[in-house]
Amino acid sequence: MKKNLFINVILALTFICISATIAHKTLRSAFKKDFLIGAAINASQIEEKNDAEATLLREQFSAITPENIMKAEVIHPGWDRYNFTLADKIIALGEKNHMVVNGHTLIWHSQLPLFARQIQQADSFRTYFTEHINTIASRYKGKIYSWDVVNEALNEDGTMRKSVFLEKLGNDFVTEAFRLAEKASPGTELYYNDYNNEQPKKREGCINLIKKIQDAGVRIDGVGIQGHWQKGKVPLKEIEESILAYHALGLKVMITELDIEMLPRNFDGADVANRQASNPALNPYAAGIPDQLLQDQATDYANLFKLFLKHRDKITRVTFWGMHDGQSWLNGWPIRGRTNYPLLFDRAFSPKPAFHAIMALK
Ligand code: G3I
């Protein structure tokens, strides 16, 4: 009798373990109760041109961000000309796969169309700015979960970046952008997004920017810490301090562009204007990367996710800047034509040690 009971208990425990493993075999299911797991996707992935990629996206991720196609140069190429084809498709893809869509991005100094860069008069530039936000945000009202309303408005020392927006519209352009976005798309969450805003000086600037928006009585819901970090140099202490500081302002925190770079470079951050000259010595793993380095990367990712889980009440989304290594922007920046390994899935879409290290936390 006792023996039967023992066997039944063992069987029940085995069943529970197997069920848990099956339930947690994907990122989106493993972290379902913690935060959304997102990926930035490119045009071909939005159009599901590759079946294996489409499956990877659907199974592993619960949120998507367009990597480029909602940026001004693509979506608003001429004064009266908008191109919504791919933006409409990403919204449809999100609906189909039950993934929320984060719009990236309404206001950014980079990837601006030529016509916008050539506007001379401040009044005309203000009209462009207003029309751009109104037209795009209102089109996706009720369909898009969140907007990166303003992207990368700060310098590393926390001062305002000398962008065309600052030059033509003055210091209040960030607040104004949030005011317009709120009006055009009232139900959508509105975020400020930047890289290195976990670093003390830039964080201070980011806090001032947020307070300015709040003091003006304008809604801001969250702050995105992009998370372009490098192997062995992930600033865990600064990230934790920043999560706490932004949360203390009443904001949601999200990690919006996560990757852990494996190749050398001589500066930090993600300013797309920074580049280095090509040199074969700076592309050491073109034919494959030693497993030890992938294990080190897995440790970095595990430490990060331990921190994210510790603050799961403050973090609402963790988005990777790409689904797999073959797609990453870090193969082309800051040096063109390199072979980088920054994400959780490899070039054959197979899970890497970093994937298993994260899943082992659940
Ligand atoms: O679309 C053109 C294509 O017509 C042309 O033939 C081709 C030749 O180079 O270039 C294509 O444009 C490229 C574009 O991506 C779309 O693929 C640009 O050269 C390339 O510079 C651009 O890079 C993007 C970068 O932003 C530019 O600012 C990356 O894919 C994208 O991952 C990156 O994303 C940014 C975030 O938006 C903001 N935070 C930093 C992050 C990484 O830089």
mmCIF file with all atom_site columns, all heavy atoms in Angstrom, residues 319-335:
data_model
loop_
_atom_site.group_PDB
_atom_site.id
_atom_site.type_symbol
_atom_site.label_atom_id
_atom_site.label_alt_id
_atom_site.label_comp_id
_atom_site.label_asym_id
_atom_site.label_entity_id
_atom_site.label_seq_id
_atom_site.pdbx_PDB_ins_code
_atom_site.Cartn_x
_atom_site.Cartn_y
_atom_site.Cartn_z
_atom_site.occupancy
_atom_site.B_iso_or_equiv
_atom_site.pdbx_formal_charge
_atom_site.auth_seq_id
_atom_site.auth_comp_id
_atom_site.auth_asym_id
_atom_site.auth_atom_id
_atom_site.pdbx_PDB_model_num
ATOM 1   N N   . THR A 1 319 ? 12.681 43.725 -24.656 1.00 0.00 ? 319 THR A N   1
ATOM 2   C CA  . THR A 1 319 ? 12.718 43.496 -26.106 1.00 0.00 ? 319 THR A CA  1
ATOM 3   C C   . THR A 1 319 ? 14.159 43.367 -26.588 1.00 0.00 ? 319 THR A C   1
ATOM 4   O O   . THR A 1 319 ? 15.009 44.196 -26.262 1.00 0.00 ? 319 THR A O   1
ATOM 5   C CB  . THR A 1 319 ? 12.016 44.656 -26.848 1.00 0.00 ? 319 THR A CB  1
ATOM 6   O OG1 . THR A 1 319 ? 10.601 44.540 -26.664 1.00 0.00 ? 319 THR A OG1 1
ATOM 7   C CG2 . THR A 1 319 ? 12.299 44.640 -28.338 1.00 0.00 ? 319 THR A CG2 1
ATOM 8   N N   . PHE A 1 320 ? 14.409 42.305 -27.364 1.00 0.00 ? 320 PHE A N   1
ATOM 9   C CA  . PHE A 1 320 ? 15.728 42.107 -27.979 1.00 0.00 ? 320 PHE A CA  1
ATOM 10  C C   . PHE A 1 320 ? 15.766 42.855 -29.308 1.00 0.00 ? 320 PHE A C   1
ATOM 11  O O   . PHE A 1 320 ? 14.759 42.891 -30.037 1.00 0.00 ? 320 PHE A O   1
ATOM 12  C CB  . PHE A 1 320 ? 15.975 40.614 -28.225 1.00 0.00 ? 320 PHE A CB  1
ATOM 13  C CG  . PHE A 1 320 ? 16.085 39.827 -26.935 1.00 0.00 ? 320 PHE A CG  1
ATOM 14  C CD1 . PHE A 1 320 ? 14.939 39.343 -26.306 1.00 0.00 ? 320 PHE A CD1 1
ATOM 15  C CD2 . PHE A 1 320 ? 17.315 39.611 -26.353 1.00 0.00 ? 320 PHE A CD2 1
ATOM 16  C CE1 . PHE A 1 320 ? 15.024 38.641 -25.105 1.00 0.00 ? 320 PHE A CE1 1
ATOM 17  C CE2 . PHE A 1 320 ? 17.422 38.904 -25.153 1.00 0.00 ? 320 PHE A CE2 1
ATOM 18  C CZ  . PHE A 1 320 ? 16.273 38.427 -24.538 1.00 0.00 ? 320 PHE A CZ  1
ATOM 19  N N   . TRP A 1 321 ? 16.967 43.407 -29.636 1.00 0.00 ? 321 TRP A N   1
ATOM 20  C CA  . TRP A 1 321 ? 17.042 44.170 -30.894 1.00 0.00 ? 321 TRP A CA  1
ATOM 21  C C   . TRP A 1 321 ? 17.378 43.221 -32.038 1.00 0.00 ? 321 TRP A C   1
ATOM 22  O O   . TRP A 1 321 ? 18.448 43.238 -32.639 1.00 0.00 ? 321 TRP A O   1
ATOM 23  C CB  . TRP A 1 321 ? 18.034 45.336 -30.785 1.00 0.00 ? 321 TRP A CB  1
ATOM 24  C CG  . TRP A 1 321 ? 17.696 46.437 -31.759 1.00 0.00 ? 321 TRP A CG  1
ATOM 25  C CD1 . TRP A 1 321 ? 18.487 46.909 -32.768 1.00 0.00 ? 321 TRP A CD1 1
ATOM 26  C CD2 . TRP A 1 321 ? 16.470 47.191 -31.835 1.00 0.00 ? 321 TRP A CD2 1
ATOM 27  N NE1 . TRP A 1 321 ? 17.823 47.905 -33.472 1.00 0.00 ? 321 TRP A NE1 1
ATOM 28  C CE2 . TRP A 1 321 ? 16.583 48.091 -32.911 1.00 0.00 ? 321 TRP A CE2 1
ATOM 29  C CE3 . TRP A 1 321 ? 15.279 47.165 -31.099 1.00 0.00 ? 321 TRP A CE3 1
ATOM 30  C CZ2 . TRP A 1 321 ? 15.560 48.973 -33.277 1.00 0.00 ? 321 TRP A CZ2 1
ATOM 31  C CZ3 . TRP A 1 321 ? 14.259 48.044 -31.461 1.00 0.00 ? 321 TRP A CZ3 1
ATOM 32  C CH2 . TRP A 1 321 ? 14.410 48.924 -32.537 1.00 0.00 ? 321 TRP A CH2 1
ATOM 33  N N   . GLY A 1 322 ? 16.368 42.388 -32.328 1.00 0.00 ? 322 GLY A N   1
ATOM 34  C CA  . GLY A 1 322 ? 16.509 41.355 -33.361 1.00 0.00 ? 322 GLY A CA  1
ATOM 35  C C   . GLY A 1 322 ? 16.116 40.025 -32.766 1.00 0.00 ? 322 GLY A C   1
ATOM 36  O O   . GLY A 1 322 ? 16.088 39.853 -31.541 1.00 0.00 ? 322 GLY A O   1
ATOM 37  N N   . MET A 1 323 ? 15.806 39.062 -33.673 1.00 0.00 ? 323 MET A N   1
ATOM 38  C CA  . MET A 1 323 ? 15.430 37.731 -33.186 1.00 0.00 ? 323 MET A CA  1
ATOM 39  C C   . MET A 1 323 ? 16.641 36.819 -33.085 1.00 0.00 ? 323 MET A C   1
ATOM 40  O O   . MET A 1 323 ? 16.728 35.980 -32.207 1.00 0.00 ? 323 MET A O   1
ATOM 41  C CB  . MET A 1 323 ? 14.451 37.092 -34.173 1.00 0.00 ? 323 MET A CB  1
ATOM 42  C CG  . MET A 1 323 ? 13.028 37.516 -33.995 1.00 0.00 ? 323 MET A CG  1
ATOM 43  S SD  . MET A 1 323 ? 11.971 36.325 -34.822 1.00 0.00 ? 323 MET A SD  1
ATOM 44  C CE  . MET A 1 323 ? 12.207 36.741 -36.528 1.00 0.00 ? 323 MET A CE  1
ATOM 45  N N   . HIS A 1 324 ? 17.568 36.943 -34.053 1.00 0.00 ? 324 HIS A N   1
ATOM 46  C CA  . HIS A 1 324 ? 18.699 36.007 -34.111 1.00 0.00 ? 324 HIS A CA  1
ATOM 47  C C   . HIS A 1 324 ? 19.951 36.722 -34.606 1.00 0.00 ? 324 HIS A C   1
ATOM 48  O O   . HIS A 1 324 ? 19.868 37.804 -35.213 1.00 0.00 ? 324 HIS A O   1
ATOM 49  C CB  . HIS A 1 324 ? 18.358 34.813 -35.013 1.00 0.00 ? 324 HIS A CB  1
ATOM 50  C CG  . HIS A 1 324 ? 18.012 35.212 -36.420 1.00 0.00 ? 324 HIS A CG  1
ATOM 51  N ND1 . HIS A 1 324 ? 18.973 35.496 -37.372 1.00 0.00 ? 324 HIS A ND1 1
ATOM 52  C CD2 . HIS A 1 324 ? 16.817 35.400 -37.032 1.00 0.00 ? 324 HIS A CD2 1
ATOM 53  C CE1 . HIS A 1 324 ? 18.369 35.827 -38.503 1.00 0.00 ? 324 HIS A CE1 1
ATOM 54  N NE2 . HIS A 1 324 ? 17.071 35.791 -38.325 1.00 0.00 ? 324 HIS A NE2 1
ATOM 55  N N   . ASP A 1 325 ? 21.111 36.101 -34.358 1.00 0.00 ? 325 ASP A N   1
ATOM 56  C CA  . ASP A 1 325 ? 22.403 36.745 -34.642 1.00 0.00 ? 325 ASP A CA  1
ATOM 57  C C   . ASP A 1 325 ? 22.555 37.204 -36.093 1.00 0.00 ? 325 ASP A C   1
ATOM 58  O O   . ASP A 1 325 ? 23.166 38.244 -36.361 1.00 0.00 ? 325 ASP A O   1
ATOM 59  C CB  . ASP A 1 325 ? 23.551 35.776 -34.312 1.00 0.00 ? 325 ASP A CB  1
ATOM 60  C CG  . ASP A 1 325 ? 23.730 35.590 -32.807 1.00 0.00 ? 325 ASP A CG  1
ATOM 61  O OD1 . ASP A 1 325 ? 23.203 36.416 -32.035 1.00 0.00 ? 325 ASP A OD1 1
ATOM 62  O OD2 . ASP A 1 325 ? 24.392 34.606 -32.419 1.00 0.00 ? 325 ASP A OD2 1
ATOM 63  N N   . GLY A 1 326 ? 22.008 36.430 -37.016 1.00 0.00 ? 326 GLY A N   1
ATOM 64  C CA  . GLY A 1 326 ? 22.192 36.762 -38.432 1.00 0.00 ? 326 GLY A CA  1
ATOM 65  C C   . GLY A 1 326 ? 21.542 38.081 -38.818 1.00 0.00 ? 326 GLY A C   1
ATOM 66  O O   . GLY A 1 326 ? 21.934 38.727 -39.800 1.00 0.00 ? 326 GLY A O   1
ATOM 67  N N   . GLN A 1 327 ? 20.571 38.488 -38.042 1.00 0.00 ? 327 GLN A N   1
ATOM 68  C CA  . GLN A 1 327 ? 19.786 39.683 -38.374 1.00 0.00 ? 327 GLN A CA  1
ATOM 69  C C   . GLN A 1 327 ? 20.330 40.940 -37.699 1.00 0.00 ? 327 GLN A C   1
ATOM 70  O O   . GLN A 1 327 ? 19.960 42.061 -38.071 1.00 0.00 ? 327 GLN A O   1
ATOM 71  C CB  . GLN A 1 327 ? 18.344 39.420 -37.899 1.00 0.00 ? 327 GLN A CB  1
ATOM 72  C CG  . GLN A 1 327 ? 17.419 40.606 -37.926 1.00 0.00 ? 327 GLN A CG  1
ATOM 73  C CD  . GLN A 1 327 ? 16.297 40.505 -36.907 1.00 0.00 ? 327 GLN A CD  1
ATOM 74  O OE1 . GLN A 1 327 ? 16.099 39.462 -36.281 1.00 0.00 ? 327 GLN A OE1 1
ATOM 75  N NE2 . GLN A 1 327 ? 15.557 41.578 -36.742 1.00 0.00 ? 327 GLN A NE2 1
ATOM 76  N N   . SER A 1 328 ? 21.213 40.777 -36.726 1.00 0.00 ? 328 SER A N   1
ATOM 77  C CA  . SER A 1 328 ? 21.541 41.913 -35.854 1.00 0.00 ? 328 SER A CA  1
ATOM 78  C C   . SER A 1 328 ? 22.239 43.066 -36.576 1.00 0.00 ? 328 SER A C   1
ATOM 79  O O   . SER A 1 328 ? 23.142 42.858 -37.393 1.00 0.00 ? 328 SER A O   1
ATOM 80  C CB  . SER A 1 328 ? 22.444 41.433 -34.716 1.00 0.00 ? 328 SER A CB  1
ATOM 81  O OG  . SER A 1 328 ? 22.933 42.551 -34.009 1.00 0.00 ? 328 SER A OG  1
ATOM 82  N N   . TRP A 1 329 ? 21.853 44.284 -36.209 1.00 0.00 ? 329 TRP A N   1
ATOM 83  C CA  . TRP A 1 329 ? 22.504 45.496 -36.721 1.00 0.00 ? 329 TRP A CA  1
ATOM 84  C C   . TRP A 1 329 ? 23.990 45.499 -36.369 1.00 0.00 ? 329 TRP A C   1
ATOM 85  O O   . TRP A 1 329 ? 24.781 46.165 -37.025 1.00 0.00 ? 329 TRP A O   1
ATOM 86  C CB  . TRP A 1 329 ? 21.825 46.738 -36.127 1.00 0.00 ? 329 TRP A CB  1
ATOM 87  C CG  . TRP A 1 329 ? 22.103 46.979 -34.664 1.00 0.00 ? 329 TRP A CG  1
ATOM 88  C CD1 . TRP A 1 329 ? 21.727 46.190 -33.615 1.00 0.00 ? 329 TRP A CD1 1
ATOM 89  C CD2 . TRP A 1 329 ? 22.854 48.058 -34.093 1.00 0.00 ? 329 TRP A CD2 1
ATOM 90  N NE1 . TRP A 1 329 ? 22.178 46.723 -32.426 1.00 0.00 ? 329 TRP A NE1 1
ATOM 91  C CE2 . TRP A 1 329 ? 22.871 47.869 -32.690 1.00 0.00 ? 329 TRP A CE2 1
ATOM 92  C CE3 . TRP A 1 329 ? 23.492 49.181 -34.617 1.00 0.00 ? 329 TRP A CE3 1
ATOM 93  C CZ2 . TRP A 1 329 ? 23.506 48.741 -31.817 1.00 0.00 ? 329 TRP A CZ2 1
ATOM 94  C CZ3 . TRP A 1 329 ? 24.131 50.055 -33.735 1.00 0.00 ? 329 TRP A CZ3 1
ATOM 95  C CH2 . TRP A 1 329 ? 24.139 49.824 -32.362 1.00 0.00 ? 329 TRP A CH2 1
ATOM 96  N N   . LEU A 1 330 ? 24.392 44.709 -35.331 1.00 0.00 ? 330 LEU A N   1
ATOM 97  C CA  . LEU A 1 330 ? 25.786 44.718 -34.884 1.00 0.00 ? 330 LEU A CA  1
ATOM 98  C C   . LEU A 1 330 ? 26.716 43.967 -35.836 1.00 0.00 ? 330 LEU A C   1
ATOM 99  O O   . LEU A 1 330 ? 27.933 43.999 -35.665 1.00 0.00 ? 330 LEU A O   1
ATOM 100 C CB  . LEU A 1 330 ? 25.875 44.134 -33.467 1.00 0.00 ? 330 LEU A CB  1
ATOM 101 C CG  . LEU A 1 330 ? 25.254 45.040 -32.396 1.00 0.00 ? 330 LEU A CG  1
ATOM 102 C CD1 . LEU A 1 330 ? 25.081 44.290 -31.079 1.00 0.00 ? 330 LEU A CD1 1
ATOM 103 C CD2 . LEU A 1 330 ? 26.097 46.306 -32.180 1.00 0.00 ? 330 LEU A CD2 1
ATOM 104 N N   . ASN A 1 331 ? 26.154 43.323 -36.871 1.00 0.00 ? 331 ASN A N   1
ATOM 105 C CA  . ASN A 1 331 ? 27.003 42.774 -37.936 1.00 0.00 ? 331 ASN A CA  1
ATOM 106 C C   . ASN A 1 331 ? 27.493 43.888 -38.859 1.00 0.00 ? 331 ASN A C   1
ATOM 107 O O   . ASN A 1 331 ? 28.424 43.690 -39.635 1.00 0.00 ? 331 ASN A O   1
ATOM 108 C CB  . ASN A 1 331 ? 26.235 41.728 -38.756 1.00 0.00 ? 331 ASN A CB  1
ATOM 109 C CG  . ASN A 1 331 ? 25.865 40.510 -37.917 1.00 0.00 ? 331 ASN A CG  1
ATOM 110 O OD1 . ASN A 1 331 ? 26.721 39.912 -37.281 1.00 0.00 ? 331 ASN A OD1 1
ATOM 111 N ND2 . ASN A 1 331 ? 24.576 40.169 -37.889 1.00 0.00 ? 331 ASN A ND2 1
ATOM 112 N N   . GLY A 1 332 ? 26.842 45.068 -38.766 1.00 0.00 ? 332 GLY A N   1
ATOM 113 C CA  . GLY A 1 332 ? 27.205 46.161 -39.677 1.00 0.00 ? 332 GLY A CA  1
ATOM 114 C C   . GLY A 1 332 ? 27.640 47.434 -38.979 1.00 0.00 ? 332 GLY A C   1
ATOM 115 O O   . GLY A 1 332 ? 27.990 48.417 -39.630 1.00 0.00 ? 332 GLY A O   1
ATOM 116 N N   . TRP A 1 333 ? 27.638 47.430 -37.653 1.00 0.00 ? 333 TRP A N   1
ATOM 117 C CA  . TRP A 1 333 ? 27.972 48.649 -36.905 1.00 0.00 ? 333 TRP A CA  1
ATOM 118 C C   . TRP A 1 333 ? 28.769 48.296 -35.670 1.00 0.00 ? 333 TRP A C   1
ATOM 119 O O   . TRP A 1 333 ? 28.431 47.300 -35.036 1.00 0.00 ? 333 TRP A O   1
ATOM 120 C CB  . TRP A 1 333 ? 26.682 49.381 -36.494 1.00 0.00 ? 333 TRP A CB  1
ATOM 121 C CG  . TRP A 1 333 ? 26.925 50.662 -35.769 1.00 0.00 ? 333 TRP A CG  1
ATOM 122 C CD1 . TRP A 1 333 ? 27.030 51.907 -36.308 1.00 0.00 ? 333 TRP A CD1 1
ATOM 123 C CD2 . TRP A 1 333 ? 27.112 50.823 -34.360 1.00 0.00 ? 333 TRP A CD2 1
ATOM 124 N NE1 . TRP A 1 333 ? 27.285 52.827 -35.318 1.00 0.00 ? 333 TRP A NE1 1
ATOM 125 C CE2 . TRP A 1 333 ? 27.340 52.194 -34.106 1.00 0.00 ? 333 TRP A CE2 1
ATOM 126 C CE3 . TRP A 1 333 ? 27.147 49.960 -33.260 1.00 0.00 ? 333 TRP A CE3 1
ATOM 127 C CZ2 . TRP A 1 333 ? 27.588 52.708 -32.841 1.00 0.00 ? 333 TRP A CZ2 1
ATOM 128 C CZ3 . TRP A 1 333 ? 27.385 50.465 -31.994 1.00 0.00 ? 333 TRP A CZ3 1
ATOM 129 C CH2 . TRP A 1 333 ? 27.594 51.828 -31.793 1.00 0.00 ? 333 TRP A CH2 1
ATOM 130 N N   . PRO A 1 334 ? 29.780 49.035 -35.259 1.00 0.00 ? 334 PRO A N   1
ATOM 131 C CA  . PRO A 1 334 ? 30.285 50.270 -35.886 1.00 0.00 ? 334 PRO A CA  1
ATOM 132 C C   . PRO A 1 334 ? 31.232 50.015 -37.056 1.00 0.00 ? 334 PRO A C   1
ATOM 133 O O   . PRO A 1 334 ? 31.769 50.953 -37.622 1.00 0.00 ? 334 PRO A O   1
ATOM 134 C CB  . PRO A 1 334 ? 31.030 50.949 -34.728 1.00 0.00 ? 334 PRO A CB  1
ATOM 135 C CG  . PRO A 1 334 ? 31.518 49.815 -33.884 1.00 0.00 ? 334 PRO A CG  1
ATOM 136 C CD  . PRO A 1 334 ? 30.467 48.731 -33.990 1.00 0.00 ? 334 PRO A CD  1
ATOM 137 N N   . ILE A 1 335 ? 31.427 48.713 -37.368 1.00 0.00 ? 335 ILE A N   1
ATOM 138 C CA  . ILE A 1 335 ? 32.301 48.359 -38.493 1.00 0.00 ? 335 ILE A CA  1
ATOM 139 C C   . ILE A 1 335 ? 31.468 47.497 -39.429 1.00 0.00 ? 335 ILE A C   1
ATOM 140 O O   . ILE A 1 335 ? 30.821 46.548 -38.987 1.00 0.00 ? 335 ILE A O   1
ATOM 141 C CB  . ILE A 1 335 ? 33.524 47.558 -37.980 1.00 0.00 ? 335 ILE A CB  1
ATOM 142 C CG1 . ILE A 1 335 ? 34.335 48.421 -37.004 1.00 0.00 ? 335 ILE A CG1 1
ATOM 143 C CG2 . ILE A 1 335 ? 34.390 47.081 -39.136 1.00 0.00 ? 335 ILE A CG2 1
ATOM 144 C CD1 . ILE A 1 335 ? 35.416 47.659 -36.263 1.00 0.00 ? 335 ILE A CD1 1
#
